[in-house]
Structures are given as C-alpha cells and as structure tokens.
C-alpha cells in the first residue's frame, strides 16, 4: 500500500484509524478462523497485520518566523520524521494536539501508510482470552501469528541510545506502536483497570489511606455533579445514574487487593480527570508503573505519599515540598546516572505551594512552619537506619529534610520520559528522633493531614491544568528531541 498525503491533521488521523482498524480486524478474523478450523494464514494474509505509519516531513523554508517557546510539537532538525501508531482513535486528541502546530507553524506535510511492524496477536484482543477458550496453546499460535518480542520493545528513543542513520527518517515520537501496546497491557495487569480509564492528571501514593480519601472526595464530586464517574479496580464504576447510599460500600469492596498497584480514576469533563495509583513501597514499583504510564503521555504526575522527617523541628503531619533529590534508589543508575541533576520544575513547584496555602488557609511564616522545601533522600533499603553511621555524612552534606523510597525515582522517570513531575510528602515518622511507626501511633493531627494532603495534590493539579501547555517544560527536551512530546 502506498503512502497518501493528508490535507489536514484530522484527515491524517482518520486514515490512521481506518488502517489500524482494518489490520486489527484482519488479525482477529484469521485468529478466529484458526481456532474454528485450524487453517493458518498464508504469507499474503499475514502481511495485513501491520501497524499504520505516520510520516511528517519538515522543509525549513516553510516554517513560521515566530520563535516557538512551547516545550513540544517542534522540530529539532529538518527532514522526515515518522512513527508507527496504535489505537489512533483513543489517542486522537493527543495526536491532534501534536500535529496541528507542526502543520500550522512549520508547514509540515503529513503522510500515512502501512509500516513493516507487525501487530502481535495478543494486542488485537481485548481480554486476551476471548478467542479459542484455551483450546490452542500459545506456542502453537506463535508458529503462525506475530507474537510479542521483547527484543523489539525498548526505550532507545527516550534514552537517546538509538542509531541515527544519515538519510533515514528520524523518530517522531518517544514510543512506537509496539512499545505502547506492551505498556497498555501492563497497566491493566498491574492496576486492575482498563488503560482507557486513565486520566491525564496523575497522583501516585505509597499508602492506601490516600485511596480512602480519594474515593470519598470522588463520590462527593459525583453527587455534586462536578465529576462524571469513579472507576475502581475490577471494573467497578460509579456514575450519576448508579450513585446511591451503597456507592461507598461497592467501591471499598472492589477487588483492589488482587492487583499490585491498584488505580482509581475520577472522570471529569473537559480533560480535567485525575487518576490515583497506590504504587506501594519501593523504587522498583515506582519505576515499573511510570515506565508504563508514560506511553499515555499524561500532562503531569505528582508523588503524594509518606516520608520520614529528618529535622528535629518537623512534626508528624508536616509537609515536604521536594526541590531536589539525593537518589540512592539504584534502579535508574544506568539510564539516568545519579550525577545527572533532576531539575525542579518551576510551574509544578509554584502550583504545589499555592495549593498548600489555599487548602490549609496558612500564609507566610505560618505556612513555612508546616511546609518545608528541601532535598529528599530516596533509598532502596527500608531499613537504612541500621547503617546510620555510614549514611550520616551523605545526609548531612545533602542538607536533606526527608527520606522515602519512591520520590526520587518518580522524578527521575518524569525527567527521563518527559512527563512533568513534582513531590509533596507528608511526614509520618521521624526515624532519627525516636518517633518511629508503631501500631496506633498516628494522632488526630496526622489523621487530618492525610485528607488535607490529598486535597492539596488535587488542587495543585487543577492549577497546572489551568496553566495549560506551559507546564510542558523545555527543561525536559534533549538536543535531538522527537517532535512529539
């Protein structure tokens, strides 16, 4: 099939949708036929199972003379830029947001066609088991149908390790179709919810108590008419039509415990929805979930969880606004070495501090007594206190004010994968000052702080949403950045 030039971004996306739908349906049809009759596809039939390809050409003479301040949808160099695309109907708003400035400001031309990248058969299915019902083994299917190959799934573009070949097209996006499909399925596995339920504004937490508060606030918004639905693990959905006195019970009884990192989605109109993911404890979980969330191209993710306070003046329930990280998580050392600084994003920092002032009603010195800005140490060992004699010097040199096991990883992943990030933590213990976590140790002030903390996170996301495209900081772009954010 030849490539066709599209007159508008809308027309290009329309054709991507048609090509993807045809390829997916051909694969599903031949899978079903094989289950029913045992007839395998021939080479010509298999050739139909391919992702569509989007090609964007930029000739420098066509560009507007206006200087582009935006942190995305711009070209690093002239030439041909391309990427394979999956689920174009679901990503339509994102694709339109990227393509429109490239056409209007750079005079780019758009072409669509069929790539050489095959669609692995599991990605053509919804649940993965609706065809065949276990009568055919995976090894048998692999003889005749394309399968997921981890050798073809990677982050070379995001990490800047891909090979640029003179005369060959450059990457248009950080993630191609097969990398995206891989993560979409992982999101379902880890969170227990359909990937389509994820909202563009994301809160990550390491304590289930935040989930309880999120559910209460979400249901209150549904009742007030400001939110459309709350979607929980296991597919439980509460909307205006199903809202009743038993709504809380239905949500709380959802099978969240079956999933490693359960997610809760508050659907609001106009792209203002928020997803909360309880990522649990540790940098491994933090990296795993953000690796997969990144393919959705969210506008922002914020870490709102617990930390240990390192300063004598802090008390349980105080807040920590991270402006730097002493990264001792170890998990990203090869991808983003610890000596690479992770910059604080001004727009996010300001939104978090303003949200804290709005929610607490405190200003100036009064706010500073409860909200402290400084460096957060992110550890890979929950029992780091047992080697305090070794850790003391580094913590002193860093002037750190708090310690946790996720924030530095979340921030480094945001930096690495070009997703705006920020951290607002709540002090839950003071390991260096005798205030450790023990059953029943949480006091009334700490209980209040959990609800207040979550409200600050939600308010900060609302401020960032109102700020618009400016939150996609140019600090996150590399020298040879793909045009798409």
């Amino acid at each position: 099939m030849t490539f066709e030039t599209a007159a508008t971004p809308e027309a290009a996306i329309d054709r991507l949708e048609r090509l993807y739908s045809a390829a997916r349906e051909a694969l599903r049809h031949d899978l079903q036929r094989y289950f029913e009759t045992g007839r395998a596809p021939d080479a010509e039939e298999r050739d139909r199972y391919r992702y569509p390809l989007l090609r964007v050409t930029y000739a420098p003479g066509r560009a507007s003379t206006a200087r582009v301040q935006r942190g995305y949808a711009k070209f690093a160099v002239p030439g041909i830029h391309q990427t394979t695309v999956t689920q174009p109907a679901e990503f339509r708003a994102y694709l339109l947001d990227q393509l429109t400035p490239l056409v209007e400001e750079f005079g780019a031309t758009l072409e669509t066609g069929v790539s050489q990248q095959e669609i692995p058969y599991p990605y053509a299915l919804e649940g993965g088991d609706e065809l065949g019902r276990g009568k055919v083994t995976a090894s048998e299917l692999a003889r005749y149908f394309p399968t997921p190959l981890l050798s073809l799934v990677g982050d070379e573009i995001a990490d800047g390790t891909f090979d640029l070949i003179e005369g060959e097209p450059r990457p248009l996006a950080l993630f191609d179709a097969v990398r995206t499909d891989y993560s979409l399925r992982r999101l379902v596995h880890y969170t227990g919810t359909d990937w389509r339920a994820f909202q563009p504004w994301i809160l990550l937490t390491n304590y289930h108590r935040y989930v309880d508060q999120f559910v209460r606030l979400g249901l209150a918004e549904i009742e007030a008419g400001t939110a459309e639905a709350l979607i929980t693990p296991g597919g439980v959905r509460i909307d205006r039509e199903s809202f009743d006195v038993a709504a809380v019970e239905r949500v709380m009884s959802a099978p969240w415990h079956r999933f490693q990192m359960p997610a809760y989605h508050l659907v609001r109109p106009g792209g203002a929805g928020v997803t909360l993911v309880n990522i649990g404890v540790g940098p491994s979980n933090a990296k795993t979930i953000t690796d997969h969330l990144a393919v959705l191209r969210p506008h922002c993710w914020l870490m709102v969880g617990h930390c240990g306070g390192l300063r004598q003046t802090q008390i349980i329930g105080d807040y920590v606004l991270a402006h730097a990280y002493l990264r001792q998580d170890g998990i990203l050392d090869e991808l983003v070495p610890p000596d690479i600084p992770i910059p604080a994003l001004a727009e996010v920092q300001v939104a978090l501090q303003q949200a804290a002032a709005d929610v607490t009603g405190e200003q100036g010195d009064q706010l500073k007594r409860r909200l402290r800005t400084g460096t957060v140490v992110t550890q890979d060992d929950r029992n780091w206190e047992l080697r305090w004699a070794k850790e003391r010097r580094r913590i002193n040199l860093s002037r750190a004010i708090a310690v946790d096991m996720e924030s530095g990883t979340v921030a480094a992943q945001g930096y690495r994968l070009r997703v705006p990030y920020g951290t607002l933590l709540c002090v839950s213990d003071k390991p260096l000052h005798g205030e450790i976590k023990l059953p029943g140790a949480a006091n009334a002030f700490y209980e209040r702080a959990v609800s207040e903390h979550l409200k600050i996170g939600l308010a900060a996301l609302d401020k960032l949403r109102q700020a618009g495209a400016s939150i996609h900081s140019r600090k996150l772009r590399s020298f040879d950045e793909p045009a798409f954010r």
Side-chain angles (χ1 to χ4, degrees):
M1 182 179 293
T2 58
F3 281 81
E4 293 184 7
T5 301
T8 65
E10 290 85 355
I13 300 169
D14 286 344
R15 187 161 190 254
L16 290 173
E17 291 182 15
R18 292 194 298 271
L19 292 173
Y20 176 75
S21 178
R24 185 171 178 269
E25 288 309 310
L27 178 51
R28 287 177 59 86
H29 173 273
D30 291 356
L31 277 167
Q32 184 65 55
R33 184 186 65 195
Y34 182 77
F35 284 127
E36 293 176 353
T37 69
R39 179 189 158 190
D42 57 30
E44 183 177 351
E45 289 173 324
R46 179 161 171 164
D47 197 49
R48 299 175 299 164
Y49 318 151
R50 300 187 185 275
Y51 288 110
L53 188 140
L54 173 62
R55 179 178 291 168
V56 181
T57 303
Y58 165 48
R62 302 175 186 171
S64 167
T65 57
R67 186 177 179 183
V68 178
Q69 300 293 327
R70 186 177 53 248
Y72 64 95
K74 57 185 181 182
F75 294 103
V77 296
I80 299 173
H81 307 252
Q82 66 184 32
T83 188
T84 50
V85 178
T86 187
Q87 300 286 349
E90 299 294 337
F91 285 96
R92 186 180 185 91
Y94 164 77
L95 292 169
L96 194 60
D97 188 46
Q98 306 307 299
L99 290 174
T100 300
L102 297 180
V103 172
E104 294 180 351
E105 299 174 19
F106 292 87
T109 58
L110 310 180
E111 297 175 280
T112 56
V114 177
S115 75
Q116 295 301 306
Q117 192 177 68
E118 290 185 311
I119 302 176
Y121 78 84
Y123 301 157
L125 310 177
E126 286 300 322
D129 58 357
E130 64 264 42
L131 299 177
R133 289 175 289 278
K135 298 177 183 177
V136 180
T137 65
S139 60
E140 185 177 347
L141 288 174
R143 295 172 58 190
Y144 307 111
F145 295 93
T147 59
L149 298 175
L150 291 181
S151 59
L152 302 179
V153 179
D155 285 334
E156 290 81 6
I157 299 173
D159 292 329
T161 59
F162 64 95
D163 294 324
L164 281 175
I165 302 174
E166 189 67 30
E168 292 293 315
R170 298 173 69 95
L172 179 64
L174 294 175
F175 307 109
D176 64 6
V178 72
R179 167 66 169 86
T180 300
D181 266 338
Y182 169 77
S183 281
L184 297 182
R185 294 310 172 102
R186 294 288 86 196
L187 285 173
V188 176
H189 171 75
Y190 285 116
T191 70
T193 54
D194 192 310
W195 61 266
R196 297 172 185 83
F198 279 82
Q199 302 300 296
W201 305 94
I202 296 176
L203 293 175
L204 305 173
T205 189
N206 54 10
Y207 192 29
H208 192 77
R209 191 175 302 207
Y210 287 84
V211 172
D212 297 338
Q213 294 294 339
F214 187 78
V215 167
R216 293 188 184 98
L217 292 172
L219 293 177
E221 285 199 28
I222 295 172
E223 189 173 22
T226 57
E228 297 175 354
L230 180 67
I231 302 172
T232 73
V236 176
R237 178 187 174 97
I238 304 295
D239 54 25
R240 296 171 188 174
E241 287 69 35
S242 62
F243 188 88
D244 55 31
V245 294
V248 174
E249 183 179 347
R250 294 204 302 279
V251 172
M252 294 303 185
S253 63
W256 62 267
H257 56 280
R258 298 180 187 172
F259 307 102
Q260 187 172 343
M261 290 177 273
Y264 297 75
H265 314 281
L266 183 60
V267 183
R268 294 167 171 163
V274 178
T275 287
L276 175 73
V277 187
N278 180 8
I279 66 175
V281 176
S284 179
N285 277 6
K287 180 183 183 297
T288 296
I289 197 65
T290 48
D291 275 341
H292 302 313
L293 287 172
V295 305
L296 298 175
R297 306 317 296 149
H299 290 304
C300 183
W301 57 48
L302 300 179
M303 182 69 198
V304 286
H306 286 178
C307 68
L310 297 178
R311 298 305 179 101
Q312 182 67 50
T313 55
Q314 292 170 311
I315 64 174
I316 291 176
D318 279 358
Y319 299 124
V320 170
L321 175 57
H323 74 185
Y325 303 90
L326 176 56
R327 293 170 47 218
Q328 299 187 162
D329 53 328
I331 197 166
L332 287 168
D333 286 3
E334 291 188 11
L335 299 172
V336 186
D339 61 333
I340 299 297
I342 306 300
L345 304 183
E347 297 83 357
V348 179
Q349 299 297 97
V350 170
L352 282 167
Q353 185 149 343
Q354 289 179 344
D358 292 346
V359 172
T360 64
E362 298 167 346
Q363 301 286 340
D365 289 341
Q366 188 180 17
L367 180 62
K368 286 183 179 179
R369 281 196 291 269
R370 291 195 56 208
L371 186 149
R372 187 158 181 171
T373 301
T375 297
V376 171
V377 183
T378 294
Q379 291 278 5
D380 61 356
D381 181 1
R382 178 59 189 85
N383 296 320
W384 64 273
E385 301 100 319
L386 300 180
R387 59 174 193 266
W388 169 237
K390 180 179 178 180
E391 295 290 334
R392 180 177 181 275
R393 175 172 166 76
R394 285 179 62 81
I395 290 178
N396 270 335
L397 286 173
S398 71
R399 308 298 193 265
I401 62 173
V403 59
D404 81 339
M405 298 185 68
E406 300 85 27
S407 295
T409 313
V410 169
Q413 281 283 82
Y415 175 82
R416 172 184 170 237
L417 303 173
R418 286 74 152 181
V419 178
Y421 52 86
T423 299
L424 183 70
L425 302 175
C426 183
V427 175
S428 63
D429 65 334
K430 295 172 61 182
L432 304 186
H433 305 96
E435 297 184 45
I436 62 176
K437 290 181 181 177
L438 294 172
N443 55 33
F445 179 60
Y446 173 60
E447 290 287 337
R448 186 195 75 179
V450 172
S451 176
E452 188 178 75
H453 188 192
L454 182 61
K455 290 177 182 177
I456 293 171
L458 292 169
L461 289 179
D462 190 51
K463 290 180 182 296
L464 291 169
R465 180 181 60 82
Q466 295 172 27
S470 65
I471 71 167
H472 294 289
S473 176
R474 289 175 291 173
K475 293 186 183 74
L476 303 184
R477 291 184 65 89
S478 62
F479 293 118
D480 54 359
E481 188 76 3
F484 283 10
R485 71 166 177 85

mmCIF file of all heavy atoms in Angstrom, residues 274-287:
data_model
loop_
_atom_site.group_PDB
_atom_site.id
_atom_site.type_symbol
_atom_site.label_atom_id
_atom_site.label_comp_id
_atom_site.label_asym_id
_atom_site.label_seq_id
_atom_site.Cartn_x
_atom_site.Cartn_y
_atom_site.Cartn_z
ATOM 1 N N VAL A 274 -8.654 12.920 37.103
ATOM 2 C CA VAL A 274 -7.460 12.582 37.883
ATOM 3 C C VAL A 274 -7.449 11.080 38.157
ATOM 4 O O VAL A 274 -8.480 10.495 38.512
ATOM 5 C CB VAL A 274 -7.425 13.347 39.215
ATOM 6 C CG1 VAL A 274 -6.200 12.935 40.041
ATOM 7 C CG2 VAL A 274 -7.428 14.855 38.981
ATOM 8 N N THR A 275 -6.284 10.471 38.014
ATOM 9 C CA THR A 275 -6.074 9.070 38.381
ATOM 10 C C THR A 275 -5.158 9.002 39.601
ATOM 11 O O THR A 275 -4.131 9.687 39.638
ATOM 12 C CB THR A 275 -5.450 8.288 37.218
ATOM 13 O OG1 THR A 275 -6.432 8.082 36.196
ATOM 14 C CG2 THR A 275 -4.931 6.924 37.683
ATOM 15 N N LEU A 276 -5.535 8.205 40.588
ATOM 16 C CA LEU A 276 -4.689 7.938 41.747
ATOM 17 C C LEU A 276 -4.228 6.489 41.688
ATOM 18 O O LEU A 276 -5.063 5.578 41.568
ATOM 19 C CB LEU A 276 -5.457 8.185 43.048
ATOM 20 C CG LEU A 276 -4.705 7.822 44.335
ATOM 21 C CD1 LEU A 276 -3.608 8.850 44.618
ATOM 22 C CD2 LEU A 276 -5.659 7.735 45.531
ATOM 23 N N VAL A 277 -2.914 6.252 41.770
ATOM 24 C CA VAL A 277 -2.366 4.897 41.772
ATOM 25 C C VAL A 277 -1.628 4.680 43.084
ATOM 26 O O VAL A 277 -0.729 5.456 43.437
ATOM 27 C CB VAL A 277 -1.398 4.664 40.602
ATOM 28 C CG1 VAL A 277 -0.979 3.191 40.550
ATOM 29 C CG2 VAL A 277 -2.023 5.077 39.273
ATOM 30 N N ASN A 278 -2.019 3.643 43.808
ATOM 31 C CA ASN A 278 -1.302 3.264 45.020
ATOM 32 C C ASN A 278 -0.157 2.351 44.592
ATOM 33 O O ASN A 278 -0.333 1.154 44.388
ATOM 34 C CB ASN A 278 -2.232 2.542 45.986
ATOM 35 C CG ASN A 278 -1.525 2.131 47.272
ATOM 36 O OD1 ASN A 278 -0.378 2.508 47.514
ATOM 37 N ND2 ASN A 278 -2.199 1.342 48.098
ATOM 38 N N ILE A 279 1.039 2.929 44.456
ATOM 39 C CA ILE A 279 2.162 2.176 43.892
ATOM 40 C C ILE A 279 2.858 1.307 44.925
ATOM 41 O O ILE A 279 3.770 0.556 44.584
ATOM 42 C CB ILE A 279 3.189 3.117 43.225
ATOM 43 C CG1 ILE A 279 3.874 4.018 44.252
ATOM 44 C CG2 ILE A 279 2.511 3.939 42.142
ATOM 45 C CD1 ILE A 279 4.976 4.872 43.668
ATOM 46 N N GLY A 280 2.432 1.393 46.183
ATOM 47 C CA GLY A 280 3.087 0.605 47.205
ATOM 48 C C GLY A 280 4.431 1.207 47.576
ATOM 49 O O GLY A 280 4.680 2.385 47.368
ATOM 50 N N VAL A 281 5.302 0.380 48.108
ATOM 51 C CA VAL A 281 6.572 0.863 48.649
ATOM 52 C C VAL A 281 7.738 0.392 47.788
ATOM 53 O O VAL A 281 7.788 -0.773 47.397
ATOM 54 C CB VAL A 281 6.762 0.376 50.097
ATOM 55 C CG1 VAL A 281 8.123 0.774 50.645
ATOM 56 C CG2 VAL A 281 5.645 0.925 50.995
ATOM 57 N N GLY A 282 8.648 1.302 47.489
ATOM 58 C CA GLY A 282 9.906 0.919 46.859
ATOM 59 C C GLY A 282 10.127 1.487 45.477
ATOM 60 O O GLY A 282 9.172 1.726 44.729
ATOM 61 N N PRO A 283 11.390 1.702 45.113
ATOM 62 C CA PRO A 283 11.709 2.280 43.809
ATOM 63 C C PRO A 283 11.396 1.363 42.635
ATOM 64 O O PRO A 283 11.154 1.846 41.529
ATOM 65 C CB PRO A 283 13.215 2.558 43.909
ATOM 66 C CG PRO A 283 13.714 1.641 44.978
ATOM 67 C CD PRO A 283 12.591 1.513 45.959
ATOM 68 N N SER A 284 11.397 0.049 42.847
ATOM 69 C CA SER A 284 11.081 -0.863 41.744
ATOM 70 C C SER A 284 9.657 -0.643 41.257
ATOM 71 O O SER A 284 9.402 -0.546 40.053
ATOM 72 C CB SER A 284 11.278 -2.312 42.182
ATOM 73 O OG SER A 284 10.949 -3.208 41.135
ATOM 74 N N ASN A 285 8.710 -0.577 42.193
ATOM 75 C CA ASN A 285 7.330 -0.297 41.811
ATOM 76 C C ASN A 285 7.207 1.071 41.142
ATOM 77 O O ASN A 285 6.476 1.240 40.162
ATOM 78 C CB ASN A 285 6.423 -0.334 43.036
ATOM 79 C CG ASN A 285 5.981 -1.744 43.390
ATOM 80 O OD1 ASN A 285 6.435 -2.710 42.792
ATOM 81 N ND2 ASN A 285 5.119 -1.862 44.378
ATOM 82 N N ALA A 286 7.918 2.061 41.685
ATOM 83 C CA ALA A 286 7.837 3.412 41.131
ATOM 84 C C ALA A 286 8.305 3.439 39.682
ATOM 85 O O ALA A 286 7.698 4.093 38.828
ATOM 86 C CB ALA A 286 8.666 4.375 41.981
ATOM 87 N N LYS A 287 9.399 2.745 39.384
ATOM 88 C CA LYS A 287 9.876 2.705 38.003
ATOM 89 C C LYS A 287 8.925 1.918 37.115
ATOM 90 O O LYS A 287 8.613 2.320 35.992
ATOM 91 C CB LYS A 287 11.273 2.092 37.923
ATOM 92 C CG LYS A 287 11.803 2.033 36.487
ATOM 93 C CD LYS A 287 13.151 1.364 36.387
ATOM 94 C CE LYS A 287 13.668 1.386 34.939
ATOM 95 N NZ LYS A 287 12.808 0.640 34.002
#
